[in-house]
Amino acid sequence: MTQAVARAVARRQTLVVEAGTGVGKTFAYLVPALLSGSRALISTATKSLQDQLFLRDLPRLCEALHVPVRTALLKGRGSYLCLHRMKQARQSAELPDRRAVMMLARVERWAQQTHSGDFAELEGLDERSPIIPIVSSNRDNCLGTECPDYRDCHVVKARREAMEADVVVVNHHLFFADLALRESGVAELLPSVELAVFDEAHQLAEVGVQFLGTLLGTGQLIDFARDVLAQGLAHARGLQDWQGLQSRLELAARELRLACAGPMKEVRGLLKLAWKERAERPGFAEALSSVAEAATLARETLATVMEMSPDSQRLHERAEQLESLAATFAGEPADGAVRWIDLSPQQARLVESPLDIRQAMQEQLAGPPKAWVFTSATLGEDERLSWFTEPAGLDDAIVLRVGSPFDYPEHARLYIPRRFPKPAEPDHPSEVAALAARCARSLGGRTFVLTTTLRALQAIGDALREDFEQGGDTIRVLQQGTATKRVLLAQFMADPRAVLVGSASFWEGIDVPGDSLQCVLIDKLPFPPPNDPLVEARVQRLEAAGRNAFAEYFIAETAIALKQGGGRLIRSEGDRGLLVVCDPRMAGMNYGRRLREALPPMTRLEHEQEALDWLAELAADHELPL
């Protein structure tokens, strides 16, 4: 892989590499990148992976290779403290509760000593903390060069350091936000780099689809209403009815969310609703019209005071943007785009998006010549890695598949129970929980249960607790939703006699090497939901082209998700464990073989007792003194 990356850099080629777990893909692209002396942009999937690359991997390699390279870390503006908005928060006294007041005081103390302004420095600050949107800026409320704190702006400083660096670490969200908005700093950077690397590239397409579309959310309206009130009272108190305007905007946001929720009384997690499910219902058009009217009223009101401060002028522009977005969603979608509604317990978002990132990426590839490297442990199941290369527009890329060096046949077992309820049968969740309990007892905990839905997560978690309580077991059940992901993982690592039940976010990006995790159960095959609007649109496009959507889309997507989930099991050379897929379709249906072959070459077990015996053997080895 290192040689292939080196050749791609030297020849300005596009390279796609699927590198199995244990290959060391991070070093395999960093070493040739650093030795080449090329200016490089490295993008990864999350901010935590960014920090790992910048704070751990790059410094270690630069020291080992004796290369004097200047590196920089660049995140989206929401990751940095905004000095102007922090001061406004103190003056406006509009904080939601006492906890937020205490957190603001903590941020203010930290602001006196931070160089970067990156919230990741603040230990114990959850990235979902309600204080962050209050003391950070976004594209809507940033004043740019008009800001009184522009000279000390942490975002400007981070972008300046990125422009001066040899290697810049960004994330996929920032990369695509920039393609869509041309304002995050990557736009200036990209033409000047000679190498662009995308790690965890399997997430690239879905991240891109989110950012290349158009979005109108009730959260936008609520944030706008809060800023209108704060700025109105600070700069134009008594000149307009600011509280009345805030109430009107918040009412429009509530009406839009209710229209999106429709007959649903309770929403759990994030739901993706088909546009027609709601847009054609009574009240939806009226709710959208109410948003437009509230935005118009805000624009007209702000026009009377916009000369008073840069903040008021920016708020006037935001009101115009909200008007425009309401008009966009009141009309027909653009050609080749799909619309849907994201609904969560907190807000509703209207989304219009392209079906893939093909056109956007091809526009980038047609720019100034550079090397492009895309890599991940899971990019497809055929030799051309079509699952990734086709929607990403990388038809002409050089493709390399590097297998894992781990001894899967010796160290890993795969068990697919044949005589098991099908996923659609009502007793399937309880049987998954019962099998998980038997496995966990044999192993003494150290088990993950990965579910495909939040409903199954709850049912399996409840049934497991009941099973252990009735059996008098001391095995603890940790369940997604009861604490943050980081806290749950820390608890799991600290307590060997534990079973962790998790859904979507636990299928990937989780690294538990050693014998802390030796059994992973997957409740059923992770097929894409057929009623998902984006899935429906992609299926229709394939069928219109005369292609087999089930084979080319559903099975391909399932194979990738299965590889990701199963990949939690063996994370280092000495790891051993059992993967259980509680779905008899994988053993009996014609497509089952294709899905089995997508997994690493684990030794297959036919009977449950063999699986339990294997776990008992692992448990005995775990208890041996060192």
Side-chain angles (χ1 to χ4, degrees):
M1 177 175 173
T2 301
Q3 292 172 340
V5 172
R7 281 194 299 271
V9 174
R11 300 171 186 174
R12 300 288 191 267
Q13 294 172 324
T14 299
L15 173 69
V16 177
V17 186
E18 183 181 73
T21 307
V23 165
K25 62 183 170 62
T26 305
F27 282 18
Y29 64 72
L30 282 180
V31 168
L34 293 171
L35 292 178
S36 72
S38 299
R39 190 150 194 248
L41 176 80
I42 299 171
S43 179
T44 190
T46 63
K47 287 185 282 188
S48 59
L49 286 171
Q50 257 188 290
D51 290 333
Q52 180 180 306
L53 265 173
F54 181 72
L55 299 172
R56 190 188 73 181
D57 298 337
L58 271 170
R60 284 169 64 189
L61 275 179
C62 287
E63 185 180 355
L65 297 171
H66 303 291
V67 285
V69 171
R70 287 181 301 176
T71 61
L73 182 68
L74 185 60
K75 298 178 181 177
R77 62 169 70 247
S79 296
Y80 298 99
L81 172 68
C82 173
L83 298 169
H84 179 57
R85 286 179 62 80
M86 180 183 71
K87 293 171 186 173
Q88 283 185 325
R90 174 58 63 194
Q91 293 164 4
S92 70
E94 289 294 320
L95 295 171
D97 52 38
R98 189 175 170 188
R99 183 178 171 81
V101 174
M102 292 169 61
M103 186 56 74
L104 176 61
R106 188 179 167 208
V107 169
E108 287 171 327
R109 290 194 298 273
W110 167 70
Q112 301 300 315
Q113 61 194 49
T114 180
H115 168 74
S116 71
D118 186 343
F119 289 123
E121 291 179 3
L122 256 173
E123 196 171 332
L125 179 68
D126 192 303
E127 61 182 24
R128 297 170 299 179
S129 169
I131 197 67
I132 290 180
I134 295 172
V135 295
S136 63
S137 69
N138 57 37
R139 183 176 65 98
D140 290 335
N141 57 37
C142 176
L143 303 179
T145 54
E146 297 295 316
C147 179
D149 292 287
Y150 181 77
R151 289 185 63 180
D152 298 316
C153 176
H154 290 299
V155 173
V156 171
K157 201 180 299 180
R159 291 179 182 174
R160 191 183 303 127
E161 289 174 0
M163 288 303 296
E164 293 169 356
D166 303 304
V167 177
V168 184
V169 183
V170 302
N171 60 61
H172 302 341
H173 294 82
L174 181 63
F175 178 79
F176 280 108
D178 184 75
L179 291 195
L181 307 171
R182 302 288 177 193
E183 68 92 46
S184 73
V186 178
E188 301 168 274
L189 193 62
L190 199 55
S192 66
V193 303
E194 299 152 289
L195 166 65
V197 178
F198 294 86
D199 199 348
E200 300 296 315
H202 66 279
Q203 294 191 22
L204 206 57
E206 291 309 309
V207 171
V209 162
Q210 290 175 38
F211 280 91
L212 295 174
T214 304
L215 175 71
L216 172 61
T218 55
Q220 280 172 276
L221 286 162
I222 298 293
D223 289 347
F224 177 62
R226 181 191 64 213
D227 291 347
V228 163
L229 178 64
Q231 290 306 315
L233 296 180
H235 298 291
R237 185 184 291 268
L239 297 183
Q240 295 286 355
D241 180 9
W242 299 113
Q243 287 177 322
L245 180 55
Q246 181 198 32
S247 298
R248 178 70 185 275
L249 287 161
E250 288 183 341
L251 176 64
R254 280 198 301 276
E255 288 176 348
L256 182 59
R257 194 196 171 282
L258 285 170
C260 290
M264 300 176 68
K265 300 294 183 189
E266 185 182 8
V267 178
R268 289 187 180 181
L270 178 66
L271 298 178
K272 195 177 277 188
L273 305 175
W275 183 255
K276 288 183 179 180
E277 275 185 47
R278 295 293 184 265
E280 295 177 0
R281 288 180 63 88
F284 186 86
E286 290 80 357
L288 205 49
S289 179
S290 177
V291 170
E293 289 166 9
T296 301
L297 177 62
R299 175 178 55 78
E300 292 171 350
T301 304
L302 289 161
T304 65
V305 299
M306 61 187 289
E307 302 302 325
M308 290 188 169
S309 73
D311 291 284
S312 301
Q313 194 166 346
R314 188 70 191 102
L315 283 169
H316 183 265
E317 292 169 8
R318 287 169 68 184
E320 290 179 322
Q321 289 163 0
L322 286 168
E323 267 188 302
S324 174
L325 284 168
T328 295
F329 283 102
E332 292 298 313
D335 289 343
V338 60
R339 276 187 188 171
W340 71 87
I341 297 167
D342 283 335
L343 187 64
S344 71
Q346 291 78 33
Q347 69 162 323
R349 303 190 312 167
L350 314 185
V351 187
E352 179 174 312
S353 166
L355 295 184
D356 55 39
I357 60 171
R358 186 177 181 84
Q359 183 179 344
M361 288 306 301
Q362 287 184 334
E363 286 173 7
Q364 293 303 308
L365 294 170
K370 61 172 64 69
W372 297 81
V373 176
F374 303 85
T375 185
S376 170
T378 48
L379 289 176
E381 41 166 347
D382 61 352
E383 289 306 311
R384 282 297 303 166
L385 300 175
S386 307
W387 176 85
F388 173 73
T389 54
E390 186 177 322
L394 303 175
D395 308 327
D396 299 326
I398 297 165
V399 172
L400 175 67
R401 302 183 79 187
V402 183
S404 171
F406 298 160
D407 189 350
Y408 282 99
E410 180 66 26
H411 289 169
R413 303 290 185 269
L414 171 65
Y415 173 52
I416 308 165
R418 288 179 178 274
R419 294 183 178 179
F420 204 82
K422 292 178 181 175
E425 294 175 12
D427 58 341
H428 182 263
S430 61
E431 289 298 319
V432 171
L435 178 54
R438 293 193 291 274
C439 289
R441 284 192 186 99
S442 293
L443 189 58
R446 299 180 289 125
T447 296
F448 268 13
V449 180
L450 300 178
T451 72
T452 51
T453 64
L454 291 174
R455 183 181 297 173
L457 172 92
Q458 191 67 48
I460 292 168
D462 291 346
L464 264 174
R465 271 188 215 88
E466 187 179 338
D467 196 316
F468 290 142
E469 285 171 11
Q470 288 179 352
D473 295 283
T474 57
I475 297 174
R476 184 181 180 190
V477 178
L478 304 170
Q479 186 171 316
Q480 180 182 337
T482 59
T484 65
K485 185 176 175 181
R486 186 183 301 174
V487 168
L488 285 172
L489 280 172
Q491 291 174 343
F492 181 82
M493 298 282 280
D495 185 359
R497 291 188 66 79
V499 176
L500 195 155
V501 186
S503 191
S505 63
F506 284 85
W507 281 68
E508 58 179 286
I510 303 290
D511 193 15
V512 186
D515 57 7
S516 296
L517 172 63
Q518 291 194 302
C519 182
V520 173
L521 285 94
I522 292 174
D523 72 328
K524 64 177 181 178
L525 292 174
F527 282 108
N531 56 351
D532 181 306
L534 204 48
V535 172
E536 284 183 350
R538 288 169 174 166
V539 166
Q540 287 169 7
R541 183 172 63 176
L542 284 169
E543 289 176 344
R547 296 166 66 177
N548 184 332
F550 184 73
E552 293 190 46
Y553 183 74
F554 284 101
I555 298 298
E557 290 282 332
T558 304
I560 294 294
L562 203 56
K563 284 171 78 170
Q564 282 290 342
R568 299 315 95 213
L569 185 64
I570 305 295
R571 304 300 299 170
S572 64
E573 203 167 0
D575 285 7
R576 296 191 296 165
L578 171 72
L579 174 64
V580 182
V581 182
C582 306
D583 192 330
R585 294 176 297 180
M586 190 169 169
M589 300 298 285
N590 291 335
Y591 54 78
R593 181 178 177 183
R594 181 175 160 190
L595 293 175
R596 294 194 302 272
E597 288 175 350
L599 291 170
M602 304 175 180
T603 298
R604 179 109 177 260
L605 303 178
E606 290 296 332
H607 305 289
E608 181 181 325
Q609 193 55 52
E610 293 177 289
L612 298 180
D613 290 346
W614 169 246
L615 292 176
E617 181 183 327
L618 298 180
D621 290 346
H622 175 70
E623 290 167 8
L624 288 173
L626 294 175

